[in-house]
Amino acid sequence: MLSGPLSSRWTAYLGLLSALSGAFAPAVAVKEHDFKKCHQSGFCKRNRYFADHALASSSWESPYSIAPESGSFKDGQYQAVILKTINDSGETVRLPLTVSFLESGTARVTVDEEKRQKGEIELRHESKARKERYNEVEQWVIVGGTALDKTAKVDYEDKTQLTVKYGPSSNFEAVIKFSPFTVDFKRDGNTQIKFNDQGLLNIEHWRPKIEKAEPEKKEGEGSEETTEEGKKEEPQGEDESTWWEESFGGNTDTKPRGPESVALDVSFVGYENVYGIPSHTGPLSLKQTRGGDGNYQEPYRLYNADVFEYILDSPMTLYGAIPFMQAHRKDSSVGVLWLNAAETWVDITKGKNSKNPLALGIKSKTSTHTHWISEGGLLDVFVFLGPTPKDLTAKYGELTGTTAMPQEFSLGYHQCRWNYVSDEDVKDVDRKMDKAKMPYDVIWLDIEYTDEKKYFTWDKHGFTDPIGMGKQLDSHGRKLVTIIDPHIKNVDNYPVVAELKSKDLGVKNKEGSIFEGWCWPGSSHWIDAFSPAARQWWSSLFKYDSFKGTMENTWIWNDMNEPSVFNGPETTMPKDNLHYGNWEHRDVHNLNGMTFQNATYHALTSRKSGELRRPFVLTRSFFAGSQRVGAMWTGDNQAEWDHLQASIPMVLSQGISGFPFSGADVGGFFGNPEKELLTRWYQAGAFYPFFRGHAHIDARRREPYLAGEPYSTIIGAALRLRYSLLPSWYTAFRHAHLDGTPIVKPMFYTHPSEEAGFAIDDQFFVGSTGLLAKPVTEKDKESVDIWIPDNEVYYDYFTYNVIPTTKGKPTTLAAPLEKIPLLMRGGHIFPRRDIPRRSSALMQWDDYTLVVTIPKDGKHAEGDLYIDDGDSFDFEKGQYIHRRFVFDGSAESLESVDFEGREQQSVEEGEWMKKIHAVGVDKIVMVGAPASWANKKTVQLQSEGKTWEAKVEFTPAAQGRAAFAVVRKVGVRIGADWKLSFA
């Protein structure tokens, strides 16, 4: 709950809501009735009813069949027509089907509707909307990996079915049955995923509205016929009540195309755990949604919305949607990407396999059945057959793109609140962070920095010298982030809105006029970032000579881009609004946030001629593909312990779903965290890929230096830990950029054979470092039980103590307030920088420390380090260093080689590559050093044709602490090949 007086901004918000249509009552916590449940969403209710009917009937047969004579297979693609039987007299609707087999081993199933495709339908209300099903999601989401597998071949065909073998080793199969239409996806001869196995496929075809005459009423009858129980009788046949229009919260959706939903059941055969489809607040392993003990009653909803003070452990929609789900069982992972940007619901149920009579006597396995329901668009599904979690994220990344290589500063700590009130306030926080010796990289400005909520302006009273503010930050390598939202204030004498209107670049209402709604500025219009002309205009606004007061160290935060419309249905835009190309908003809703972030990202690459730097753009709303253009955060959380707990599975879910540059507001956005909670949240936040403290305008000031002792000292230690490990974080981002690997990895991802770890979502490994973290997320907790996934040795990060462990069992770690539970798994090598600095920029030319965690058997440890200039795109031209470090226990050596096997002379060195020659390895820490090294005083080093010795200090094992050796003043260049010998 909020404390203290409501801010003027918040008061204005509540005033707007109450003054408008009356649809929204002022509130200080999310009211679930402000957002639809399935039974209030016509297409969801219809499809759930359809499923209930189908699953309850022993004689149900899906009315969808392939016309066998329509099918053809060529160059890795099968095309046919599905016939949907629509009545007892056998009338059918034609639905073109394409099944594509891709070189990557991914398969794609697409179903369209011929009548809409050809434009042979009539729109109601003289609508200007497009007649087709929306078919442009691919243009926004898919960036590669769609080349057809021309080696795929038909392995079997008769009048009832077709079997295609495909995949890099031809070990994948798709068995397409014609009547009823089903697809069975197999790997190595075993079924993994089935489409329409339960018969829930439903494509709502176009039909004209037939006005039905009201039956005559007898004298004395009321307006509605009721049963004895007083309930309205259900109409016979299909329920048409939400086909043609639908109202919710005082808003009416005119639905000019009538009912058009698409739905399909996707069964993961033999898989009990499914993950993904962020963003939601429940556990990482998704729950069932049809009731029962501990389960949800509602489907998971994907409909990006401004959900104020969201509730926890809920399938309720949040700010972003990634319709990518993966299923995992022991040593096997598969997944699907549901490529649809309309409102989507996903039901999940689990059950034992019982259909196969040949399985008698064999232990039955649990399968997960999912039911995907979207309001419109194509049925378009990609199928990934694994077999590992890494295969899934790599193939997904090949299709939708991988995480953008971030600016290095963006991995540091970000200090934010709504709002810093002036440029002097910003400079004061900057000075006090330095005085407290607390490193940070970025300070943020929320909407109050603007002149009366007009973006691209500055408040005339508080921010009189933004350039001076920016220069002070820049003097020690720090950055400024300003908020720019998609709603443009509709007011006179504001050139930005005048241009938006004169150039016709805004989202339109259903009549085709510019849409007007309400948001923070009051009356507003919204840029239509689907429009190429709008994006080009948007870029012009960010040029330094246009957005005066910004500098090269200014970056951008995109908020409210779901879009949030205070007087709109469910606090968003009417579905019958129109976007570029006359596509309805219902078709593109979940894409909207991504298109706006994309427009901002590209705007920041062209702020002045000749400047090409990696942009930093934070978004609240996102979709599949958003990872290519920035970072996200989990939205408006609360300063409560359970919100801290919920943040970890939320961040893990983002990572496995292809968008790992994620974090939660440290301390909680709403409310005032107690000091223990704030401290623990900084300790957890130091392990979010995106690490930002943020607070509501009515929250007390809580910059980390204000916490008081011992809290400020402990928070400072967490910040410095983050900064010392920045080289490892940056290296993890390189791997995410290369192949879609998550930054922080849950147990099922790193140890896919260990079933006891599949549902664990409160601990994680960081990149490939072997660092295993389990933040404390409970009040007054001074120990944690951390689950150990293997038989390897684990060392305490801070003390080098050997932790007593048993594979598959939890072990208890002491965790007083000042201690972060952080273990080092044996067999890894990770880099860090040990000199405390005020910002990441000031660390750029510091030497490195390497930490080697010697494994239990003493044989092999490995790790890597990636470095580039942290700012430009020169890394795409080979201007980077990527080293692989290998410890060989039998040879007692440690070696550094190029990670990719590049010859150093093959790269023409630019300015940064030349400058990095001065940076080296200063120190090497060998944790778990063998006792045989006890008498060693020096080690031998070889590099670049030279041989020399360096001093080594050996500390023997004692009182549970492992032996360790420290080699100081190593003297090798970080970019050079070198070898260190202990023999």
Side-chain angles (χ1 to χ4, degrees):
M1 302 294 286
L2 304 180
S3 65
L6 287 174
S7 69
S8 59
R9 176 190 184 195
W10 194 241
T11 305
Y13 177 31
L14 298 182
L16 282 173
L17 298 189
S18 59
L20 293 167
S21 65
F24 294 89
V28 292
V30 67
K31 289 189 175 178
E32 289 189 75
H33 64 250
D34 287 343
F35 297 90
K36 288 182 181 179
K37 297 282 181 40
C38 180
H39 73 276
Q40 297 166 306
S41 177
F43 75 93
C44 184
K45 179 182 178 182
R46 295 194 300 271
N47 279 283
R48 256 194 164 187
Y49 175 82
F50 182 90
D52 290 342
H53 173 72
L55 296 172
S57 171
S58 59
S59 60
W60 170 255
E61 187 169 284
S62 173
Y64 296 83
S65 298
I66 289 177
E69 71 282 358
S70 69
S72 66
F73 183 86
K74 183 181 179 182
D75 292 338
Q77 193 170 70
Y78 175 71
Q79 293 183 308
V81 173
I82 295 173
L83 299 178
K84 175 189 179 183
T85 302
I86 60 173
N87 54 33
D88 292 340
S89 55
E91 287 185 70
T92 59
V93 169
R94 294 171 61 84
L95 306 171
L97 165 73
T98 305
V99 184
S100 305
F101 302 96
L102 310 180
E103 287 180 354
S104 63
T106 301
R108 181 182 189 180
V109 177
T110 308
V111 182
D112 204 338
E113 180 183 348
E114 189 173 277
K115 213 172 186 72
R116 295 185 200 261
Q117 197 178 50
K118 292 181 176 180
E120 297 173 352
I121 70 169
E122 297 173 11
L123 302 183
R124 299 173 64 243
H125 312 302
E126 300 180 350
S127 171
K128 297 176 173 60
R130 291 280 281 270
K131 294 182 177 182
E132 309 99 305
R133 288 182 174 273
Y134 183 60
N135 55 18
E136 295 182 0
V137 184
E138 179 175 3
Q139 295 179 23
W140 287 98
V141 175
I142 306 301
V143 295
T146 56
L148 291 172
D149 177 8
K150 296 184 179 179
T151 66
K153 64 182 189 296
V154 175
D155 189 56
Y156 177 81
E157 184 176 12
D158 63 19
K159 292 183 179 180
T160 65
Q161 64 182 20
L162 176 88
T163 299
V164 177
K165 284 203 167 185
Y166 67 103
S169 305
S170 294
N171 63 327
F172 298 163
E173 292 174 64
V175 181
I176 303 169
K177 292 191 176 178
F178 299 156
S179 184
F181 167 69
T182 63
V183 190
D184 183 351
F185 292 96
K186 299 183 176 184
R187 187 182 66 230
D188 298 326
N190 298 311
T191 295
Q192 308 292 326
I193 293 174
K194 286 186 173 182
F195 283 6
N196 203 32
D197 186 49
Q198 295 185 303
L200 308 187
L201 172 64
N202 189 29
I203 312 288
E204 291 188 320
H205 61 280
W206 182 81
R207 77 288 312 268
K209 183 177 183 184
I210 299 172
E211 301 294 344
K212 296 180 180 177
E214 289 288 326
E216 290 186 16
K217 294 184 173 63
K218 296 177 183 177
E219 188 175 345
E221 284 185 336
S223 60
E224 292 184 352
E225 189 174 340
T226 59
T227 63
E228 289 179 8
E229 289 79 12
K231 293 182 180 177
K232 185 179 176 182
E233 267 192 5
E234 287 296 318
Q236 297 301 306
E238 290 187 272
D239 176 12
E240 300 183 19
S241 62
T242 54
W243 279 9
W244 309 109
E245 69 174 28
E246 192 168 348
S247 296
F248 182 80
N251 291 273
T252 298
D253 175 9
T254 58
K255 296 193 172 184
R257 296 185 302 228
E260 55 181 326
S261 73
V262 297
L264 177 68
D265 59 283
V266 178
S267 297
F268 298 97
V269 180
Y271 292 87
E272 188 167 357
N273 289 278
V274 290
Y275 309 91
I277 58 169
S279 181
H280 299 95
T281 59
L284 181 66
S285 180
L286 302 174
K287 289 187 176 185
Q288 297 185 66
T289 61
R290 285 295 202 138
D293 188 31
N295 298 328
Y296 298 141
Q297 299 282 350
E298 287 288 307
Y300 284 92
R301 191 182 187 204
L302 298 172
Y303 187 65
N304 298 349
D306 182 358
V307 183
F308 169 62
E309 283 196 342
Y310 53 78
I311 58 175
L312 301 181
D313 194 14
S314 169
M316 187 177 177
T317 194
L318 286 178
Y319 310 94
I322 301 177
F324 176 37
M325 179 183 285
Q326 47 201 285
H328 186 71
R329 66 175 181 237
K330 183 178 171 64
D331 293 324
S332 183
S333 295
V334 295
V336 295
L337 169 63
W338 179 267
L339 195 65
N340 191 301
E343 178 185 353
T344 298
W345 303 77
V346 186
D347 261 322
I348 299 172
T349 59
K350 300 178 183 182
K352 298 286 186 183
N353 296 345
S354 57
K355 287 189 175 181
N356 184 359
L358 300 178
L360 293 174
I362 300 174
K363 183 183 177 183
S364 63
K365 291 182 178 178
T366 298
S367 292
T368 298
H369 304 285
T370 63
H371 186 199
W372 298 71
I373 308 165
S374 289
E375 184 173 14
L378 302 177
L379 192 157
D380 196 0
V381 193
F382 290 83
V383 177
F384 309 89
L385 293 182
T388 70
K390 186 174 175 63
D391 289 326
L392 298 187
T393 50
K395 299 304 181 188
Y396 175 82
E398 187 178 352
L399 281 174
T400 67
T402 57
T403 298
M405 199 63 213
Q407 288 243 19
E408 191 165 16
F409 78 78
S410 65
L411 308 190
Y413 173 62
H414 301 248
Q415 180 60 48
C416 184
R417 72 172 280 111
W418 171 27
N419 207 91
Y420 291 113
V421 298
S422 67
D423 42 32
E424 282 303 318
D425 191 8
V426 168
K427 291 191 280 187
D428 185 56
V429 172
D430 182 63
R431 287 188 291 264
K432 286 176 177 173
M433 289 291 284
D434 281 348
K435 185 177 180 181
K437 295 183 169 55
M438 291 184 173
Y440 87 102
D441 264 76
V442 193
I443 194 162
W444 292 53
L445 296 177
D446 210 320
I447 58 173
E448 310 301 336
Y449 81 91
T450 61
D451 178 17
E452 298 182 337
K453 314 297 188 297
K454 297 193 292 281
Y455 300 114
F456 306 100
T457 69
W458 297 87
D459 177 67
K460 298 182 181 68
H461 305 290
F463 291 89
T464 57
D465 184 18
I467 293 294
M469 172 180 64
K471 285 181 176 178
Q472 176 174 315
L473 295 172
D474 192 51
S475 67
H476 26 255
R478 292 187 178 132
K479 321 297 178 187
L480 179 74
V481 167
T482 62
I483 197 168
I484 300 284
D485 292 345
H487 49 259
I488 306 300
K489 186 170 185 174
N490 183 27
V491 67
D492 293 338
N493 302 315
Y494 178 29
V496 175
V497 78
E499 286 188 15
L500 178 77
K501 291 193 281 190
S502 67
K503 295 176 184 288
D504 194 25
L505 302 176
V507 178
K508 296 179 172 60
N509 61 26
K510 63 181 183 286
E511 285 85 23
S513 302
I514 191 166
F515 170 70
E516 181 184 0
W518 290 75
C519 205
W520 293 128
S523 173
S524 301
H525 300 303
W526 275 257
I527 178 177
D528 184 3
F530 288 89
S531 160
R535 296 196 299 273
Q536 185 176 1
W537 169 73
W538 192 246
S539 288
S540 72
L541 302 179
F542 287 88
K543 294 186 182 298
Y544 297 121
D545 56 1
S546 296
F547 190 2
K548 296 186 185 301
T550 60
M551 297 170 51
E552 287 83 351
N553 65 336
T554 307
W555 302 101
I556 301 298
W557 171 16
N558 286 161
D559 196 1
M560 314 295 284
N561 52 333
E562 294 76 23
S564 177
V565 181
F566 291 166
N567 62 327
E570 300 191 89
T571 326
T572 192
M573 198 167 272
K575 288 180 174 180
D576 48 11
N577 272 7
L578 296 173
H579 288 267
Y580 173 76
N582 282 336
W583 294 110
E584 280 196 296
H585 184 73
R586 86 180 70 252
D587 298 318
V588 302
H589 175 85
N590 284 344
L591 274 174
N592 189 83
M594 183 174 91
T595 66
F596 183 61
Q597 186 188 18
N598 171 73
T600 303
Y601 175 93
H602 288 288
L604 295 181
T605 64
S606 57
R607 290 190 283 184
K608 72 176 181 182
S609 178
E611 180 187 66
L612 185 59
R613 298 164 63 210
R614 291 175 237 170
F616 173 76
V617 187
L618 181 76
T619 185
R620 188 170 73 176
S621 184
F622 55 87
F623 192 66
S626 291
Q627 67 273 9
R628 304 190 303 264
V629 290
M632 61 75 63
W633 93 106
T634 62
D636 297 344
N637 58 359
Q638 299 178 49
E640 303 289 347
W641 285 97
D642 53 1
H643 277 258
L644 168 57
Q645 293 163 17
S647 71
I648 294 173
M650 291 177 80
V651 167
L652 291 175
S653 183
Q654 289 289 140
I656 63 168
S657 302
F659 197 173
F661 198 0
S662 60
D665 283 343
V666 170
F669 178 65
F670 289 106
N672 297 298
E674 58 187 281
K675 291 183 179 182
E676 180 191 356
L677 172 58
L678 183 65
T679 302
R680 288 301 196 189
W681 214 320
Y682 270 97
Q683 292 175 336
F687 291 91
Y688 297 155
F690 174 63
F691 182 21
R692 182 183 76 156
H694 188 31
H696 188 273
I697 197 167
D698 290 322
R700 291 191 291 269
R701 294 290 284 253
R702 59 165 104 125
E703 287 73 27
Y705 52 76
L706 294 175
E709 295 304 335
Y711 307 102
S712 289
T713 294
I714 297 169
I715 292 170
L719 291 169
R720 286 189 292 276
L721 174 65
R722 171 64 169 226
Y723 275 79
S724 70
L725 289 172
L726 280 182
S728 288
W729 284 101
Y730 198 61
T731 300
F733 268 88
R734 173 63 173 179
H735 288 290
H737 176 68
L738 289 174
D739 61 14
T741 305
I743 308 294
V744 288
K745 303 174 182 179
M747 297 301 99
F748 89 85
Y749 194 95
T750 59
H751 290 76
S753 299
E754 302 307 313
E755 294 176 281
F758 291 175
I760 292 176
D761 56 12
D762 57 0
Q763 63 182 62
F764 47 84
F765 284 97
V766 177
S768 57
T769 60
L771 291 173
L772 176 59
K774 181 168 183 175
V776 177
T777 59
E778 295 178 63
K779 181 177 173 59
D780 298 330
K781 191 85 168 174
E782 294 209 335
S783 67
V784 297
D785 292 330
I786 191 165
W787 182 78
I788 302 299
D790 51 41
N791 282 318
E792 191 49 82
V793 64
Y794 284 81
Y795 308 98
D796 183 280
Y797 178 87
F798 302 99
T799 66
Y800 303 161
N801 282 357
V802 177
I803 305 301
T805 61
T806 303
K807 177 183 175 180
K809 302 289 185 184
T811 190
T812 301
L813 301 178
L817 185 60
E818 67 276 9
K819 182 73 180 289
I820 301 174
L822 181 61
L823 302 183
M824 301 184 291
R825 183 180 182 271
H828 296 266
I829 303 172
F830 62 89
R832 68 185 191 207
R833 277 173 158 156
D834 288 346
I835 302 173
R837 303 282 189 192
R838 292 182 287 179
S839 69
S840 63
L842 300 181
M843 301 169 69
Q844 187 176 19
W845 309 111
D846 286 347
D847 287 341
Y848 290 87
T849 293
L850 299 181
V851 179
V852 182
T853 58
I854 295 176
K856 183 182 284 188
D857 64 11
K859 290 181 180 178
H860 180 86
E862 191 169 315
D864 65 318
L865 167 67
Y866 175 82
I867 324 167
D868 60 28
D869 65 17
D871 180 81
S872 76
F873 287 95
D874 288 351
F875 69 94
E876 294 178 347
K877 304 170 187 173
Q879 299 297 295
Y880 62 85
I881 291 168
H882 198 174
R883 307 301 301 176
R884 184 192 303 276
F885 308 113
V886 179
F887 170 73
D888 183 340
S890 58
E892 296 190 318
S893 67
L894 175 64
E895 198 167 1
S896 172
V897 297
D898 190 273
F899 188 85
E900 301 161 11
R902 292 194 307 174
E903 295 291 335
Q904 292 183 13
Q905 58 269 29
S906 69
V907 179
E908 184 176 342
E909 293 187 339
E911 182 182 347
W912 176 85
M913 289 283 281
K914 292 174 181 174
K915 200 169 180 181
I916 199 73
H917 277 254
V919 177
V921 178
D922 175 64
K923 183 169 64 175
I924 299 172
V925 181
M926 313 285 293
V927 182
S932 60
W933 294 358
N935 296 320
K936 285 203 170 291
K937 303 298 181 190
T938 60
V939 293
Q940 188 179 78
L941 285 141
Q942 293 175 296
S943 183
E944 301 183 283
K946 298 177 183 177
T947 302
W948 68 97
E949 291 186 339
K951 290 182 179 180
V952 60
E953 300 170 2
F954 181 87
T955 302
Q959 297 179 326
R961 189 196 61 221
F964 63 96
V966 180
V967 183
R968 301 185 187 278
K969 297 183 179 178
V970 177
V972 294
R973 284 198 308 112
I974 194 61
D977 290 349
W978 52 264
K979 185 173 184 178
L980 181 153
S981 177
F982 288 89

